[in-house]
Amino acid sequence: MDLNYGTEMEDFRQEVAQFLDENWPLKGEEKDWPFEKAAAVFRERAIERGYLYRSIPKQYGGSEQPPDVLKGQVIREEFGKRWAPLEARGIGTMMLVPTLLERGTEWQKEKFVRPTITGEITWCQGYSEPGSGSDLASLKTRGELIDGEWMINGQKIWTSGAHLADYMFCLVRTEPDAQKHAGISYLLIDMKQPGIDVRPLRMMTGSADFNEVFLNDVRTPEDWIVGKRGEGWLVSRTTLKYERNSIGAAQQTGASFAGLVKLAKETKIAGRPAIEDETIRERLAVLEGYVKAHQYSGYRQLTKDSKREDAGIINMMMKLFSTEIGHQTAKLSMDLIGDEGLLSAGGAELGQRSSSAQGWIGQYMYSLGIAIAGGTANIQRNVIAERGLGLPRDAAADRSSGK
Amino acid sequence: MNFDLTEEQQMLQETVGQLLANECPVTRLREVFDSDTGFDEALWKSMAELGILGLNVPEDFGGAGLETLDLAVVAETMGYHAAPGPFLGHALAIEAIVRGGSDAQKQKWLPALASGERVGAVSIADAEGGWASNQWKIESGESISGEQAFATGGHQADLYVVGLAGSRLGVVEAEASGVSRERVDGADLTRRLVALQFNQTPCELLADDPEVARRLHDVGCVLLAADAFGGSARLLEMSVEYAKTREQFGVKIGHFQALKHQLSSMALDVEPGRGLYWYAAYAQDHVKDESERIAAVAKAHITDRYMDVARNAVEAHGGIGFTWECDVQIWFKRAMFDRAFLGHPGEHRRRQAEMAGW
Ligand SMILES: Cc1cc2nc3c(=O)[nH]c(=O)nc-3n(C[C@H](O)[C@H](O)[C@H](O)COP(=O)(O)OP(=O)(O)OC[C@H]3O[C@@H](n4cnc5c(N)ncnc54)[C@H](O)[C@@H]3O)c2cc1C
């Protein structure tokens, strides 16, 4: 075990700080550039120095650095202090890019990775359908190859960000005669075309981040397929793995926990800071046990990944573990905000500024959305039990997969 | 960054695991568990031959000179096999003498401890309650008198590292005058406890440095956390195995989703603890400003999870799980020990909060 604590990390921090002194905000005639343009230029420079997109190969626009969560942490801290732009987040960077890197063709990587990570293009994930959620492989949206083009018809639902996205990565049934899982292909689709109808759905938080997407004679070129025909299920497992890992990112739980401690310091119970209350302290301490376990499991996972070794069952647990911690964090925050728990989550889609309490209420609600999206908690438990612990497969799932 | 065990550590763990599997399989473990002394002399000798009784003794004094993480991975394996005997207290006594002993004192005790010829133990539970060094009440001096509650090592210990007032530590020989020890009716019969009485008993004081007592306490917390991780992993395995063999309603009970979900919750209680105890152990030697707090976090969290897993393991076995005959009870009681020894989770969480400046 070697965590490079001490002088090496301090030197690195100095180096990052100096880079930022020189590069953010932009200087000279670049000083007055609009934020988006400035951010893009700054990101390019930060990539050159190896600070952003560290896991993405140089040839596709990343900085290709050996994995190191501590350095990653230092970078986030130093960038954060100066409000410097970090990696563009989003479903495209977090899920599609890793999938393309693992399974895409050369031209697909060339074409899509760079503009995705700079934020030039955005993506949505078209998996779920009205009749196919947990049982995703039962999906019905059809794709037919006609004259060198895929023609797609069907409906997707709960598609986050579809109203903003340029492209969709999508699961489509292209081999209707094949067995359930073997009949699916993974297609990339341009969202800006006539056959696509996006209708927003309002979430319980009040905002409308997800949508129904109707596809009527939607077209996409023959080679906009990732993996071969009928391999879409396999390819989607790659994406899902990244979705679960990204939702499971331990950094998030650590940051939320730090926010919670801050809230407990600022909130009063009977005239004294809540953090001095024995019950609150105990609950925070219990929760921190989980947060730390999550953090070091993340370190371990990353080390295993970097050595191309399998971290084992922990990979299947990270999503469930982090959503459970997220739930506990949000629950404690609700107890801290007290009467303000009567407020709404704030109208994010209306551009209203929410109070800090409303922010926590939003998080309380979102912690549920995250528990459902990307595979519900029960489905995660099935996966841990069946694939992780080797318990017998569910009889109904076996029947429906035609085995 | 490399957050993983070294090849040497993995090998160490494997070797110890093999030794325990060969020499202390569950059949043998049960005999020792039900025996009068809870001590398996042959096993102790084998551990000595392997060198694991002096892992944390410096090479100059006949040991392996390794770090807390090495000790902890062995403790994990001990926990996995519910290895009976005085290993925990022995390792902690060594830790105190290494950190607080003069050269002469080290020369006097460490080689014999490293070779397993003498069994070391700790007596750091005040008779009126309290594991923290500021709760120790026996007046320190070259001769001590008073009582302590839960000393390790059963009737096997040859010398005790004793907690004294003012966060001092002293070494007392078991054979010294005025020492009497009485068996404690403990739940965990793999690790026997005694209550000690000292009556003008000769005592050799270790260095007047509160860091020594702190280190003893923190390394103790880490080893208990490691033991708890190993033990809970074993209970999970046993429960999964049972679910794959036991049949009801004409199918293996592992088919039932309620039980599957119970088992995956247990897995979720177990597996994330691994990185936490690794880090807590690593911090003892490499991250000084975090070492005390993370030891408290690991001890509170992982021993608590162990107890939860143990309860679920009993339940997953049904009626047989509730019997003395079922092996699960042995680990259940180790969980009780790991949770209570050196203070229950609530106490450590209070410290955790305090040290964070909350
Ligand atoms: C905020 C949010 C964002 C989302 N974003 C996207 C997106 O961008 N793209 C996309 O494709 N999808 C998205 N989804 C959809 C999400 O993936 C699905 O909602 C999820 O997979 C569950 O499917 P379902 O809604 O059909 O529920 P169902 O599958 O009908 O599940 C209902 C309940 O039954 C339980 N259940 C079902 N099967 C089993 C079983 N075998 N064993 C035990 N319990 C079972 C579930 O756990 C759940 O509690 C999003 C969802 C949310 C909430």
Side-chain angles (χ1 to χ4, degrees):
Chain A
M1 184 160 307
D2 176 13
L3 298 184
N4 309 333
Y5 271 105
T7 57
E8 188 184 333
M9 229 10 98
E10 274 322 298
D11 290 351
F12 181 70
R13 190 182 291 280
Q14 293 285 329
E15 183 193 309
V16 177
Q18 196 190 338
F19 164 80
L20 289 169
D21 282 344
E22 288 162 14
N23 290 283
W24 187 261
L26 301 186
K27 312 248 169 348
E29 59 188 41
E30 297 172 344
K31 202 171 68 146
D32 300 320
W33 284 4
F35 177 81
E36 286 306 325
K37 190 173 169 195
V41 167
F42 170 79
R43 279 197 187 106
E44 298 245 319
R45 289 172 191 164
I47 289 169
E48 229 165 83
R49 288 292 292 263
Y51 297 154
L52 298 180
Y53 300 111
R54 298 162 55 84
S55 62
I56 295 176
K58 288 197 170 122
Q59 82 187 103
Y60 307 121
S63 64
E64 204 174 338
Q65 299 291 311
D68 191 324
V69 270
L70 297 177
K71 283 193 172 167
Q73 180 70 24
V74 168
I75 292 166
R76 263 187 309 279
E77 282 171 14
E78 292 303 311
F79 277 49
K81 275 185 210 160
R82 295 150 210 253
W83 303 97
L86 279 158
E87 295 175 1
R89 289 175 64 84
I91 209 159
T93 352
M94 296 196 295
M95 289 165 222
L96 177 73
V97 166
T99 303
L100 280 184
L101 290 176
E102 207 171 307
R103 304 242 180 209
T105 62
E106 200 48 41
W107 79 261
Q108 289 170 344
K109 295 183 209 176
E110 293 283 351
K111 179 175 168 65
F112 293 118
V113 174
R114 193 184 297 265
T116 302
I117 65 177
T118 59
E120 200 183 314
I121 57 172
T122 57
W123 294 81
C124 62
Q125 178 193 43
Y127 286 8
S128 306
E129 296 181 7
S132 306
S134 298
D135 184 12
L136 182 59
S138 68
L139 60 91
K140 294 194 182 62
T141 295
R142 286 278 307 269
E144 284 170 283
L145 196 57
I146 300 173
D147 297 336
E149 249 188 350
W150 292 104
M151 178 87 83
I152 302 145
N153 283 286
Q155 186 198 341
K156 296 291 172 182
I157 195 168
W158 322 124
T159 322
S160 303
H163 54 306
L164 305 169
D166 302 302
Y167 300 96
M168 171 191 265
F169 52 95
C170 188
L171 290 181
V172 175
R173 187 160 304 281
T174 54
E175 326 298 314
D177 300 327
Q179 177 263 359
K180 187 174 173 184
H181 294 81
I184 298 170
S185 295
Y186 190 107
L187 300 181
L188 308 177
I189 297 174
D190 191 338
M191 290 291 282
K192 311 289 187 218
Q193 58 173 303
I196 289 189
D197 180 11
V198 178
R199 300 184 199 162
L201 291 167
R202 195 157 184 217
M203 308 195 298
M204 67 182 286
T205 57
S207 54
D209 298 341
F210 59 24
N211 307 270
E212 289 178 290
V213 180
F214 295 88
L215 303 109
N216 285 310
D217 286 348
V218 165
R219 288 153 199 279
T220 206
E222 182 172 4
D223 60 351
W224 284 36
I225 181 172
V226 184
K228 297 202 183 70
R229 284 180 75 140
E231 278 184 3
W233 185 255
L234 233 73
V235 177
S236 77
R237 297 296 94 183
T238 327
T239 315
L240 219 52
K241 180 177 89 189
Y242 289 107
E243 177 169 13
R244 285 174 189 161
N245 277 339
S246 72
I247 292 175
Q251 257 110 27
Q252 199 55 47
T253 59
S256 297
F257 182 76
L260 187 66
V261 170
K262 187 160 170 281
L263 178 68
K265 286 180 175 163
E266 289 164 356
T267 311
K268 296 251 156 63
I269 293 180
R272 297 182 45 214
I275 194 107
E276 290 173 17
D277 181 271
E278 279 307 317
T279 318
I280 298 292
R281 289 166 83 83
E282 162 90 11
R283 283 176 68 187
L284 281 172
V286 169
L287 185 53
E288 194 187 18
Y290 288 97
V291 171
K292 293 278 183 200
H294 191 206
Q295 180 183 346
Y296 300 118
S297 298
Y299 281 23
R300 184 165 164 268
Q301 217 182 7
L302 202 89
T303 297
K304 287 289 185 196
D305 280 355
S306 72
K307 293 198 256 184
R308 305 209 172 280
E309 287 170 13
D310 187 9
I313 194 170
I314 193 83
N315 286 335
M316 302 168 201
M317 292 180 172
M318 286 302 251
K319 197 224 161 190
L320 184 56
F321 199 51
S322 72
T323 51
E324 286 188 355
I325 297 172
H327 172 218
Q328 292 305 324
T329 305
K331 189 165 138 188
L332 184 43
S333 78
M334 291 293 273
D335 293 344
L336 286 169
I337 62 176
D339 290 348
E340 284 186 282
L342 292 165
L343 300 177
S344 79
E349 94 279 24
L350 302 172
Q352 286 168 358
R353 243 199 126 92
S354 29
S355 72
S356 136
Q358 285 179 308
W360 283 106
I361 292 162
Q363 191 163 331
Y364 183 71
M365 293 181 190
Y366 266 114
S367 70
L368 261 166
I370 290 169
I372 296 166
T376 66
N378 277 349
I379 294 299
Q380 304 302 318
R381 290 190 189 99
N382 290 351
V383 169
I384 294 168
E386 293 173 4
R387 274 186 258 152
L389 302 176
L391 291 162
R393 291 258 304 157
D394 185 58
D398 263 352
R399 264 200 309 282
S400 77
S401 63
K403 278 187 204 152
Chain B
M1 187 203 74
N2 178 17
F3 192 79
D4 205 349
L5 299 180
T6 59
E7 255 170 53
E8 288 80 14
Q9 284 160 340
Q10 290 174 26
M11 247 161 62
L12 175 64
Q13 214 167 21
E14 235 167 74
T15 318
V16 174
Q18 228 141 53
L19 172 87
L20 291 170
N22 292 338
E23 299 201 16
C24 196
V26 183
T27 41
R28 176 68 192 138
L29 170 62
R30 297 206 65 103
E31 284 169 17
V32 184
F33 191 83
D34 289 327
S35 75
D36 222 29
T37 60
F39 184 65
D40 182 339
E41 198 168 345
L43 180 63
W44 187 254
K45 287 219 167 89
S46 303
M47 290 193 205
E49 275 162 30
L50 208 60
I52 52 179
L53 298 182
L55 273 189
N56 51 338
V57 172
E59 282 168 307
D60 288 352
F61 298 100
L66 296 178
E67 300 189 342
T68 309
L69 182 55
D70 304 289
L71 208 52
V73 300
V74 172
E76 177 199 328
T77 312
M78 299 275 194
Y80 180 88
H81 291 276
F87 175 78
L88 173 72
H90 182 80
L92 293 179
I94 289 173
E95 196 66 29
I97 295 170
V98 169
R99 300 283 154 167
S102 64
D103 267 354
Q105 287 172 325
K106 289 183 194 167
Q107 199 49 259
K108 181 170 168 191
W109 292 308
L110 290 180
L113 289 171
S115 69
E117 189 189 321
R118 309 194 74 197
V119 175
V122 290
S123 181
I124 49 176
D126 195 84
E128 287 165 38
W131 299 90
S133 63
N134 61 7
Q135 291 168 302
W136 296 336
K137 289 187 200 67
I138 298 179
E139 276 308 313
S140 79
E142 307 205 325
S143 149
I144 59 169
S145 298
E147 289 175 39
Q148 280 180 328
F150 301 111
T152 64
H155 281 72
Q156 257 58 51
D158 296 305
L159 58 91
Y160 293 97
V161 168
V162 181
L164 305 168
S167 299
R168 291 297 299 268
L169 289 167
V171 178
V172 167
E173 304 263 350
E175 300 288 294
S177 64
V179 178
S180 63
R181 57 184 169 194
E182 198 180 321
R183 180 192 177 119
V184 168
D185 182 18
D188 176 11
L189 296 177
T190 65
R191 289 171 294 183
R192 304 292 171 98
L193 298 169
V194 292
L196 292 181
Q197 255 187 17
F198 307 112
N199 189 358
Q200 299 193 341
T201 300
C203 169
E204 271 201 46
L205 292 175
L206 298 178
D208 187 5
D209 175 1
E211 282 297 294
V212 182
R214 192 187 61 75
R215 170 95 187 177
L216 166 61
H217 189 261
D218 294 346
V219 171
C221 284
V222 169
L223 297 187
L224 289 163
D227 184 273
F229 173 75
S232 57
R234 178 63 174 274
L235 282 175
L236 172 64
E237 265 179 41
M238 285 161 66
S239 306
V240 168
E241 203 39 51
Y242 192 69
K244 288 178 185 168
T245 41
R246 167 79 176 164
E247 288 187 12
Q248 284 293 280
F249 301 96
V251 294
K252 307 278 187 247
I253 56 171
H255 277 283
F256 301 119
Q257 197 176 52
L259 182 58
K260 272 191 207 171
H261 284 196
Q262 198 171 355
L263 292 168
S264 58
S265 291
M266 286 164 72
L268 209 61
D269 271 340
V270 175
E271 186 57 33
R274 187 194 303 270
L276 177 55
Y277 103 68
W278 282 2
Y279 184 76
Y282 175 81
Q284 299 312 310
D285 300 307
H286 299 279
V287 198
K288 203 162 184 301
D289 52 351
E290 269 189 79
S291 59
E292 186 174 4
R293 185 158 188 273
I294 196 70
V297 176
K299 151 80 173 153
H301 184 75
I302 301 175
T303 64
D304 233 6
R305 300 283 73 71
Y306 191 8
M307 204 67 247
D308 287 352
V309 168
R311 287 194 69 95
N312 275 314
V314 171
E315 216 183 303
H317 280 74
I320 188 84
F322 198 63
T323 62
W324 191 269
E325 175 152 350
C326 180
D327 300 331
V328 171
Q329 60 109 354
I330 297 179
W331 277 265
F332 187 98
K333 288 159 187 171
R334 278 198 67 114
M336 289 171 64
F337 183 103
D338 287 350
R339 195 168 178 277
F341 195 80
L342 289 185
H344 64 86
E347 247 170 271
H348 292 285
R349 293 191 177 117
R350 256 196 297 285
R351 296 173 49 233
Q352 183 185 335
E354 243 168 63
M355 285 186 271
W358 290 352

